[in-house]
Amino acid sequence: MSSPRGGDKEGGRDGERQIHVLAVDDSSVDRAVIAKLLRSSKYRVTAVDSAKKALELLGTEPNVNMIITDYSMPEMTGYELLKRVKESPTLREIPVVIMSSENDPDKINRCLEEGAEDFLLKPVRPSDVSRLCGRMRS
Amino acid sequence: MELHKLRRVYIEFASFVFHDGILDNQYTQLQQLQDESEPKFVLQVGTLFLEDSEKLLNELRSILDQQDVDFEKLDAFVRKLTGSSASIGAKRVKDACMAFHDCCKKGSKEGCLKCLQQLTAEYRLVKRKLETLFKMETQILAAGGSVPLLSQ
């Protein structure tokens, strides 16, 4: 079983290209929960604990179908990660979903205006993950 | 204790925990995610919550020990604990965090110290309850049974 601390990977199925979601959250609890929710929907998940690690991974492994990131993280926020992804010619097509425990309309609008695919309020539910299904990068 | 009795005691204990608002349906959501690929998922997440909460509470104490309190830093840690407590279903801890967040916004050291006291008390309570639940869940699984799903 993979560890939710720092970073972890799940292997894809043999002979099939599994949808790969990159989950970013500095909270080990929330990272474990979102990773499990995504794996339960049969996605391959890589979970990292910072936006910096997310960008490092995207630099070496661009075949990510969606990024789902917490908003409030130290050093680089999920919003800043969103901006960096949307500014990058190689990454801009990857849909980015923002998660937050705060229902702040200004924050939500700012993210959507910057190109976020969706904004999920924590705790994230299975129904939230289900509605992301058709919005993965193909 | 035989399995049937273990399950009954577990359900009775858990119903009080839910009735008192210490845990909410988010805990049940986590139980529903648990499966053969991760049979100890709830225990793992719960353990992470307890470890992280101890660290966050220490950070909060440390900030409030300072002469000049950095309320923004304090609030950032409170928000982290708000998030993780919501994710595990620790409702009363989450509610205590939200009251603490309001005090941070007001910049009241005295208010924040009282909030920390309340938050610590709620955390210690949910810690005891979770540890008991985990122990009983382990016993049920060891006896060959499945853990009953809980609800409010």
Side-chain angles (χ1 to χ4, degrees):
Chain A
M1 191 177 311
S2 55
S3 162
R5 294 187 188 278
D8 68 283
K9 272 191 178 188
E10 286 286 307
R13 292 193 197 116
D14 286 341
E16 276 182 40
R17 192 167 161 263
Q18 209 172 2
I19 288 180
H20 184 195
V21 182
L22 173 60
V24 191
D25 202 316
D26 63 314
S27 160
S28 58
V29 175
D30 292 349
R31 201 163 59 243
V33 173
I34 191 62
K36 181 60 181 166
L37 277 168
L38 291 165
R39 282 198 295 269
S40 296
S41 293
K42 309 299 179 196
Y43 300 132
R44 177 179 156 225
V45 183
T46 301
V48 297
D49 64 1
S50 71
K52 184 181 167 199
K53 282 185 188 161
L55 288 169
E56 282 169 3
L57 184 127
L58 289 164
T60 59
E61 198 177 333
N63 285 336
V64 163
N65 301 95
M66 179 172 275
I67 299 165
I68 179 160
T69 177
D70 187 33
Y71 185 100
S72 302
M73 293 187 290
E75 292 174 20
M76 190 189 293
T77 65
Y79 175 70
E80 286 159 352
L81 173 61
L82 165 68
K83 280 172 63 173
R84 291 278 286 270
V85 167
K86 294 304 165 188
E87 283 164 5
S88 160
T90 50
L91 303 176
R92 68 162 67 106
E93 296 303 319
I94 304 175
V96 180
V97 173
I98 308 285
M99 300 181 284
S100 178
S101 51
E102 291 173 84
N103 190 357
D104 182 340
D106 289 338
K107 192 190 278 185
I108 295 170
N109 286 334
R110 199 160 59 235
C111 290
L112 294 174
E113 280 165 13
E114 203 58 49
E117 184 67 30
D118 208 333
F119 192 103
L120 303 178
L121 277 179
K122 289 180 174 181
V124 177
R125 299 292 173 104
S127 53
D128 295 323
V129 173
S130 299
R131 80 164 194 254
L132 298 178
C133 175
R135 292 140 88 180
M136 302 282 172
R137 180 174 72 160
S138 49
Chain B
M1 201 187 292
E2 52 105 9
L3 180 59
H4 174 73
K5 210 168 176 181
L6 272 172
R7 285 171 61 94
R8 191 162 46 83
V9 168
Y10 175 80
I11 290 169
E12 277 172 14
F13 178 78
S15 70
F16 284 115
V17 173
F18 273 72
H19 179 266
D20 290 348
I22 299 168
L23 288 177
D24 65 21
N25 269 338
Q26 178 61 20
Y27 190 82
T28 311
Q29 296 275 340
L30 298 182
Q31 285 186 309
Q32 288 173 338
L33 286 175
Q34 189 158 282
D35 57 19
E36 285 151 8
S37 65
E38 290 185 71
K40 293 186 179 176
F41 173 68
V42 179
L43 174 62
Q44 282 188 306
V45 175
T47 305
L48 284 172
F49 168 70
L50 295 176
E51 288 171 357
D52 277 3
S53 298
E54 300 278 351
K55 287 179 198 163
L56 287 168
L57 286 168
N58 284 337
E59 294 284 358
L60 295 174
R61 274 180 215 114
S62 164
I63 295 168
L64 282 167
D65 273 343
Q66 305 301 313
Q67 182 86 352
D68 293 320
V69 174
D70 184 341
F71 288 102
E72 213 173 286
K73 194 174 173 187
L74 192 70
D75 192 44
F77 282 116
V78 170
R79 281 191 274 119
K80 273 296 151 202
L81 188 49
T82 309
S84 58
S85 57
S87 292
I88 190 86
K91 188 181 182 304
R92 279 164 58 160
V93 170
K94 187 192 84 171
D95 290 345
C97 286
M98 290 175 75
F100 201 150
H101 169 70
D102 289 340
C103 276
C104 291
K105 289 290 175 203
K106 288 174 189 162
S108 161
K109 183 172 180 176
E110 197 185 320
C112 285
L113 282 165
K114 284 184 186 156
C115 284
L116 178 59
Q117 208 173 16
Q118 179 64 20
L119 176 57
T120 305
E122 292 297 349
Y123 166 70
R124 285 184 182 147
L125 178 60
V126 79
K127 180 175 188 241
R128 284 201 304 276
K129 302 301 180 187
L130 281 172
E131 284 172 344
T132 304
L133 283 172
F134 296 155
K135 190 175 168 189
M136 287 197 271
E137 285 166 6
T138 304
Q139 287 170 338
I140 290 168
L141 290 171
S146 60
V147 177
L149 282 179
L150 307 173
S151 60
Q152 282 176 283

